[in-house]
Amino acid sequence: MDSLNFLYKTRIGRFLLRPLISKPVSAISGFFLDSRLSKSLIKSFVKKNQIRTEDYELEGIQCFNDFFCRKIKPSLRPISTSQNDFIAPCDGLLTVHKISDGMVFHAKQSTFTIEKLLCDEALASEFSNGYCLVFRLCVNHYHRYVYVESGKKSLNRHINGFYHTVRPIALGEFPVFTENSREYCTIDTENFGLCVQAEIGAMLVGRIVNEHIEERDVSRGEEKGHFEYGGSTIIVLVKENALTLRDDIVSCMENGEEFPIKMGEPVGTKTQP
């Protein structure tokens, strides 16, 4: 039995899990990973996760977290230039779900409501019958992310919570996305109407670092922020009849599978009237 199975599937493990998903443990981990001592972890992390260091800008790396949120060379993550494309905000494993009666059905029969995700009943109601796009980032993924579309961004809303892992084993045991610490904004766009872009923290992720907290105009592909160490998730909400998904993503959606995607890659296009 691996460590996550032990923590999430056994009585003793669940008892031990509570402090591990708390803010203080995450903060202590973050403090160490910000220190120069943590730099010694980088070499083994690179080897274990088969990271191509030549793909990244690595000047000024002073600690593990500096490396974890390293910047990739721009030519390796081109942003789609088609105005009708709706792009992926990050690298990750994508699942897409229809929002039915305010609920989203996820892996292993896990469910959550948009109202609980946003803590805003009125806003949640605007996405009835729309799409919920879930981008799950593993530790080997690139952990910077961009705005999905150009438009008027709202003030960020931060919701305190726990730090469960975002792996499927936890999704089947807890309503992770509505329990974990998270931050989101709305983006009022011309092509896709009102969208929500939310960042979800995860086990040992003490910080969601967004560049812009305030209301402002933003551009598709503009850097929005980054996660520090750990797996993480970005959730994007799109209204009904705004987005037509790619056929290969629809196929994965129907089979309940995750679709590997890269930042800037089209997820779909504007639905034509």
Side-chain angles (χ1 to χ4, degrees), residues 96-100 126-133 237-242 253:
V96 183
H97 313 272
K98 282 290 288 185
I99 302 167
S100 177
E126 298 202 38
F127 295 94
S128 179
N129 299 316
Y131 282 126
C132 175
L133 291 78
L237 305 179
V238 185
K239 287 189 173 185
E240 183 180 15
N241 297 325
M253 176 183 172

Side-chain angles (χ1 to χ4, degrees), residues 21-252:
I21 62 175
S22 68
K23 177 66 175 179
V25 169
S26 186
I28 291 168
S29 300
F31 179 79
F32 170 70
L33 295 174
D34 280 340
S35 73
R36 289 180 179 269
L37 290 174
S38 67
K39 196 172 181 180
S40 62
L41 302 176
I42 294 174
K43 186 175 181 180
S44 60
F45 181 80
V46 168
K47 183 177 180 180
K48 180 180 180 180
N49 293 287
Q50 300 180 329
I51 294 170
R52 288 170 47 90
T53 54
E54 61 269 27
D55 291 349
Y56 299 91
E57 300 172 353
L58 299 178
E59 297 80 9
I61 300 294
Q62 298 297 322
C63 64
F64 183 85
N65 261 337
D66 283 349
F67 180 80
F68 188 76
C69 60
R70 63 200 176 276
K71 288 192 174 185
I72 201 165
K73 293 177 179 176
S75 62
L76 298 178
R77 289 298 182 275
I79 305 298
S80 173
T81 57
S82 173
Q83 292 304 305
N84 286 328
D85 282 349
F86 192 84
I87 66 165
C90 60
D91 287 15
L93 301 171
L94 169 64
T95 52
V96 183
H97 313 272
K98 282 290 288 185
I99 302 167
S100 177
D101 296 325
M103 297 195 72
V104 173
F105 294 82
H106 204 272
K108 296 190 175 181
Q109 307 306 310
S110 169
T111 64
F112 64 94
T113 69
I114 299 303
E115 181 182 345
K116 286 187 177 180
L117 173 72
L118 303 177
C119 295
D120 186 323
E121 182 180 0
L123 179 59
S125 68
E126 298 202 38
F127 295 94
S128 179
N129 299 316
Y131 282 126
C132 175
L133 291 78
V134 181
F135 300 84
R136 183 170 70 90
L137 291 77
C138 302
V139 292
N140 60 308
H141 283 125
Y142 182 51
H143 269 69
R144 288 180 178 266
Y145 47 87
V146 299
Y147 291 102
V148 292
E149 184 58 28
S150 300
K152 184 73 174 181
K153 172 196 166 297
S154 72
L155 185 71
N156 285 13
R157 179 169 184 183
H158 181 81
I159 301 169
N160 290 323
F162 297 110
Y163 294 88
H164 287 286
T165 178
V166 293
R167 293 185 186 183
I169 187 172
L171 298 176
E173 300 294 324
F174 293 94
V176 170
F177 300 138
T178 57
E179 284 197 359
N180 276 21
S181 181
R182 55 203 183 274
E183 188 167 313
Y184 72 86
C185 69
T186 62
I187 308 173
D188 193 4
T189 77
E190 182 176 345
N191 277 346
F192 298 93
L194 190 70
C195 303
V196 166
Q197 186 167 341
E199 295 79 41
I200 318 292
M203 189 174 284
L204 299 183
V205 180
R207 280 168 290 190
I208 298 167
V209 184
N210 279 317
E211 298 293 331
H212 314 116
I213 305 300
E214 72 283 3
E215 294 182 4
R216 70 192 301 271
D217 291 327
V218 297
S219 300
R220 179 177 56 166
E222 178 184 0
E223 187 166 300
K224 187 177 191 294
H226 66 268
F227 293 107
E228 296 191 346
Y229 178 69
S232 313
T233 299
I234 291 177
I235 291 180
V236 175
L237 305 179
V238 185
K239 287 189 173 185
E240 183 180 15
N241 297 325
L243 174 65
T244 299
L245 295 167
R246 286 167 42 179
D247 290 341
D248 50 355
I249 293 177
V250 170
S251 179
C252 281

